[in-house]
Amino acid sequence: MFYFMIIIIGMCLASFVNVVVYRFPKEEGFILGHSYCPKCHHELSFFDMIPVVSFVVLKGHCRYCHGSIGIRDTIIEILGGFIAFICYKVFDLSIMFVIAYILSLVFITISLIDIDTMIVDDRFQLILAVIAIISTFFIDISFIDRVVGCVALVLPFYLLNMYKECIGGADLKLMAIMGWMLGFCNALIGLYISIITASLYSLGMLLQQKVTTKNLIPFIPFLCIGFFVSLLFHQVLLSIYFYFL
């Protein structure tokens, strides 16, 4: 029953993330005000906004204009519940559980905004920096390791950018923040995962001829995946790595 509650709360918080992702780029308020259908702008009732359930009951259509509703929001709600469950299994009911889940919500938010707009506002980076600073008191990593994590991850890409821009400023800021939060070794694991997943995605798109080598692909989502996986499972990943050495 407690697992079920964790999942439900996670889905509700992820539903709020969908609101932020939709409204923030339009500079609309997302704290106050009522939710509305993006097509007919009719104000939604409580029963129209129950995570996952409303989508299933309404069969993916607005109750008022009967326009189709994209499934992405529902997928994000399910993902939010799943991540909450995983965070609880890894950290139990602790401060690190709260930190990890809040971090995941910010990661989902900036990933979706980056996919939609290719722009990530610095205010989200500030939130991530605050989370990283708070985590300093709960993640046992030395100050030197954190500083090295910041510099060593960012410096190579910064120097490459001086020759030819290959990565965005938001990507560099995120790498620096996570280098501080995770330390050099764990952040490097996250960066490896990010590069591998981004490469596989790009290769898949090229094979399907959906993108060309000249297209820009948002890197923030892959960085978020890599760093979050490293936060949760770096010990397991390191054990696997040293096992095959």
Side-chain angles (χ1 to χ4, degrees):
M1 178 59 71
F2 189 72
Y3 286 159
F4 182 71
M5 290 176 59
I6 290 289
I7 292 171
I8 293 299
I9 293 172
M11 290 170 65
C12 291
L13 292 174
S15 181
F16 176 71
V17 165
N18 286 324
V19 175
V20 177
V21 170
Y22 180 76
R23 296 188 184 182
F24 188 87
K26 297 181 178 182
E27 298 184 354
E28 296 181 4
F30 51 83
I31 301 298
L32 301 176
H34 297 282
S35 296
Y36 57 85
C37 170
K39 293 188 176 180
C40 67
H41 294 274
H42 193 288
E43 184 179 308
L44 301 179
S45 69
F46 169 79
F47 298 102
D48 299 321
M49 298 183 293
I50 302 175
V52 182
V53 175
S54 294
F55 182 86
V56 174
V57 171
L58 296 173
K59 299 179 180 179
H61 290 82
C62 171
R63 183 191 303 274
Y64 310 100
C65 69
H66 305 293
S68 61
I69 301 172
I71 198 173
R72 188 177 83 169
D73 289 359
T74 302
I75 293 174
I76 296 303
E77 291 167 354
I78 295 172
L79 179 64
F82 175 74
I83 292 176
F85 174 76
I86 294 299
C87 288
Y88 177 73
K89 292 293 289 184
V90 173
F91 297 113
D92 206 353
L93 200 60
S94 64
I95 296 296
M96 273 308 301
F97 163 73
V98 177
I99 290 173
Y101 191 65
I102 292 175
L103 181 70
S104 76
L105 294 178
V106 180
F107 275 173
I108 293 172
T109 302
I110 63 175
S111 295
L112 293 176
I113 290 177
D114 193 37
I115 290 170
D116 293 342
T117 68
M118 296 292 287
I119 298 173
V120 175
D121 192 281
D122 282 343
R123 282 171 285 186
F124 291 110
Q125 304 282 8
L126 179 59
I127 294 172
L128 289 173
V130 171
I131 294 172
I133 292 171
I134 293 173
S135 72
T136 303
F137 301 99
F138 303 98
I139 301 178
D140 186 19
I141 298 173
S142 70
F143 176 80
I144 297 298
D145 195 9
R146 293 180 188 277
V147 173
V148 172
C150 285
V151 176
L153 258 66
V154 173
L155 187 58
F157 292 99
Y158 179 78
L159 294 175
L160 282 173
N161 270 8
M162 294 177 65
Y163 171 71
K164 183 179 180 180
E165 186 173 358
C166 61
I167 194 168
D171 304 326
L172 294 175
K173 293 170 187 174
L174 177 58
M175 290 162 61
I177 292 169
M178 297 313 297
W180 171 270
M181 181 172 179
L182 299 177
F184 174 67
C185 185
N186 296 338
L188 188 61
I189 292 172
L191 183 59
Y192 280 154
I193 295 172
S194 305
I195 293 173
I196 291 171
T197 52
S199 300
L200 292 174
Y201 173 82
S202 301
L203 179 61
M205 293 296 100
L206 284 170
L207 292 175
Q208 296 179 51
Q209 298 182 339
K210 291 186 177 181
V211 296
T212 69
T213 54
K214 295 182 179 180
N215 288 130
L216 294 176
I217 295 175
F219 192 40
I220 288 286
F222 301 104
L223 286 174
C224 291
I225 291 171
F227 289 135
F228 193 68
V229 170
S230 180
L231 173 66
L232 296 182
F233 305 115
H234 60 269
Q235 292 180 334
V236 175
L237 295 172
L238 282 173
S239 298
I240 295 173
Y241 174 76
F242 287 118
Y243 177 81
F244 287 101
L245 278 182

